[in-house]
Amino acid sequence: MLRTALLAALCLLAWAPPAPAQQRVVAYITGWTTPPEIAAAKLTHINFAFGKIDATGQVVLPHAGIPSQLAHLRSLKQKNPQLKILLSVGGWEAEGFSDAALSAESRAKFARSVVALLREHSLDGVDLDWEYPGQSVAGIKSRPEDKQNFTALLREMRAQLGDRYLLTIASADREYFDFTEMDRVHVYLDWINVMSYDFFNSLTPTTGHHAGLYASEFAAPRDRNADASVRQHLAAGIPAEKIVLGVAFYGRGFAGVAPLHHGLNQAYERFEAAHPYSELVEKFINRDGFVREWDVKAQAPFLWNAQKRAFITYDDPQSIAIKAQYVREHHLGGMMFWELSQDSSGALLDAIVQGR
C-alpha cells in the first residue's frame, strides 16, 4: 500500500496539464443517436456517452454495439488527426459513483477499469458526468462524504491516467458547488464542461430561458444563467482556460403558460417536451402559430404561441454566436454542446466554429 501511495504521489508531482487548446469544440455524441455523418474537421473533441458503472464499481460499456461505434469515431481521425475521442461515464440517473468513490480501494479499482477501457479501445481520455455528488435528485445513491470522495476519486484518476490521457468532468452551478470541492478538483482536470443549460425544466416553477446567457428582465433573483455559472466557476479559482461553456442543441417546451410577457418567466400547467433544434426548425420556428421572439437582456431566443399558450426555450445560431464571442472575450477554454444528432443541418455547430 505504501509503495502504491508513493507511486501515485510521484505521478501527481510529475503531471502538469498540457497547454490548453485554444477554443475547444467538444461534442457529446450518444450511443443511441450517433449520426452517420460527422463533420470531424469542425470538432476538437468528442465525448461518447455513456459508459456505465457496474455492480462491482468498474466502468463498462453497456451494450455490445459500442465497440464498433467507438471504432467509427476513431476513424474520423483520418479526416482530422488532431481529434480526440473521450469516453463519458455517467449521465442523468446513472448509479454507482458514490460507491465507486467511497474508499481508496474502490477508487483505485474504478480508475484501473477506466484505464483498461481507454487502452482497449484506443481512446484519448475520460469525461466523468456524475449528476450529482452529494445529491439524490435523480434517485441515485449519495452520501455527505461524496464531497471529499469526489476530490479523492479525481486525484486517483489523475495518478493512474498520468499525462497520456485526458481527464474532464461535466459540472453544474449553484448547489453543485456546495457538494463538491471545485476549488481543489480542477488541479486534476484538463478542463471542465460546464452544463450551462437546463436552467428551466420540468422541475422549475416557471418558464424561462433554459440556456440563457444572462438573466431575463423578468427573472427572479435566484434564477440561473450561463454568465452567473461561469462567474461561480471563476470565483472558485478555476482558470478561465479550463472552463468550457456548454450550449444546448435542443429546446424545452411548456404548455398552459400564463400569457404575460409572451410566456417568459410565467407559471405553466405542464412541461410539454424536449425538442431537438432540427425539429424546432422543421415544425415550430415561425410555424403553426409559434413566433420567434428575442430577449435582448438575456441574449436568447424563445417561441411563443399565443393561441395555444405554449412556450419553447432554446439556443439558435444567433444566441450561440453571441456565446462564442463571450467565450473569446472572457478567455474561456472553448464550447461544448449536447448533442450532435440534434443539429442535422449543422447550423448550430457552424455558429460555434465560425465564432472561434
Side-chain angles (χ1 to χ4, degrees), residues 39 42 249 277-279 281 317 340-351:
K42 298 178 181 180
F249 279 16
Y277 179 71
S278 300
E279 181 187 12
V281 172
L340 187 63
S341 72
Q342 297 172 319
D343 175 35
S344 59
S345 71
L348 301 184
L349 177 56
D350 285 344

Side-chain angles (χ1 to χ4, degrees), residues 223-238:
D223 285 350
R224 301 159 64 201
N225 61 78
D227 175 65
S229 181
V230 168
R231 293 183 185 279
Q232 188 173 15
H233 284 74
L234 291 170
I238 300 168

Side-chain angles (χ1 to χ4, degrees), residues 137-200:
V137 292
I140 64 170
K141 181 186 296 183
S142 67
R143 299 176 171 89
E145 302 95 319
D146 288 347
K147 183 171 185 174
Q148 291 75 30
N149 289 345
F150 187 37
T151 306
L153 178 64
L154 294 175
R155 184 188 304 118
E156 178 66 26
M157 293 288 293
R158 176 50 67 193
Q160 293 205 33
L161 293 171
D163 60 3
R164 177 178 177 183
Y165 297 109
L166 296 168
L167 175 60
T168 70
I169 64 169
S171 74
D173 62 351
R174 295 284 179 85
E175 60 273 13
Y176 183 84
F177 279 68
D178 297 332
F179 295 96
T180 58
E181 298 176 309
M182 292 299 286
D183 58 329
R184 299 181 61 190
V185 302
H186 68 86
V187 301
Y188 306 114
L189 303 171
D190 289 276
W191 70 84
I192 295 168
N193 297 301
V194 181
M195 294 187 289
S196 39
Y197 42 73
D198 284 344
F199 295 144
F200 288 83

Side-chain angles (χ1 to χ4, degrees), residues 58-318:
Q58 299 183 89
V59 177
V60 297
L61 303 181
H63 63 80
I66 289 182
S68 63
Q69 291 175 301
L70 292 175
H72 171 59
L73 296 181
R74 290 197 309 271
S75 73
L76 298 174
K77 294 187 178 188
Q78 297 173 12
K79 300 177 181 178
N80 178 5
Q82 303 306 312
L83 181 65
K84 304 298 183 184
I85 312 298
L86 292 81
L87 176 66
S88 187
V89 178
W92 184 249
E93 297 182 327
E95 187 59 89
F97 276 111
S98 186
D99 287 344
L102 185 58
S103 68
E105 292 76 17
S106 64
R107 293 189 289 267
K109 184 178 185 180
F110 177 93
R112 285 195 301 270
S113 71
V114 169
V115 172
L117 279 176
L118 299 185
R119 288 174 175 168
E120 180 181 357
H121 298 284
S122 301
L123 302 177
D124 300 296
V126 62
D127 171 66
L128 300 187
D129 186 7
W130 183 352
E131 299 185 28
Y132 301 98
Q135 303 177 70
S136 298
V137 292
I140 64 170
K141 181 186 296 183
S142 67
R143 299 176 171 89
E145 302 95 319
D146 288 347
K147 183 171 185 174
Q148 291 75 30
N149 289 345
F150 187 37
T151 306
L153 178 64
L154 294 175
R155 184 188 304 118
E156 178 66 26
M157 293 288 293
R158 176 50 67 193
Q160 293 205 33
L161 293 171
D163 60 3
R164 177 178 177 183
Y165 297 109
L166 296 168
L167 175 60
T168 70
I169 64 169
S171 74
D173 62 351
R174 295 284 179 85
E175 60 273 13
Y176 183 84
F177 279 68
D178 297 332
F179 295 96
T180 58
E181 298 176 309
M182 292 299 286
D183 58 329
R184 299 181 61 190
V185 302
H186 68 86
V187 301
Y188 306 114
L189 303 171
D190 289 276
W191 70 84
I192 295 168
N193 297 301
V194 181
M195 294 187 289
S196 39
Y197 42 73
D198 284 344
F199 295 144
F200 288 83
N201 53 54
S202 61
L203 302 177
T204 52
T206 70
T207 66
H209 298 298
H210 95 91
L213 180 55
Y214 302 107
S216 164
E217 176 184 357
F218 312 109
R222 286 286 296 170
D223 285 350
R224 301 159 64 201
N225 61 78
D227 175 65
S229 181
V230 168
R231 293 183 185 279
Q232 188 173 15
H233 284 74
L234 291 170
I238 300 168
E241 64 270 15
K242 283 191 174 185
I243 297 173
V244 173
L245 183 70
V247 299
F249 279 16
Y250 62 95
R252 291 193 170 277
F254 300 82
V257 179
L260 191 63
H261 308 310
H262 293 172
L264 181 58
N265 294 109
Q266 298 299 306
Y268 62 95
E269 294 175 1
R270 63 182 178 87
F271 177 76
E272 180 261 327
H275 298 279
Y277 179 71
S278 300
E279 181 187 12
L280 294 179
V281 172
E282 180 183 352
K283 298 180 180 180
F284 292 93
I285 299 175
N286 294 326
R287 297 173 183 269
D288 193 29
F290 284 90
V291 178
R292 180 190 183 272
E293 306 284 353
W294 178 257
D295 186 333
V296 174
K297 191 169 187 293
Q299 295 289 278
F302 64 97
L303 300 178
W304 172 243
N305 188 314
Q307 183 176 1
K308 295 181 178 180
R309 291 173 52 208
F311 175 95
I312 300 177
T313 166
Y314 67 109
D315 257 333
D316 71 359
Q318 182 180 358

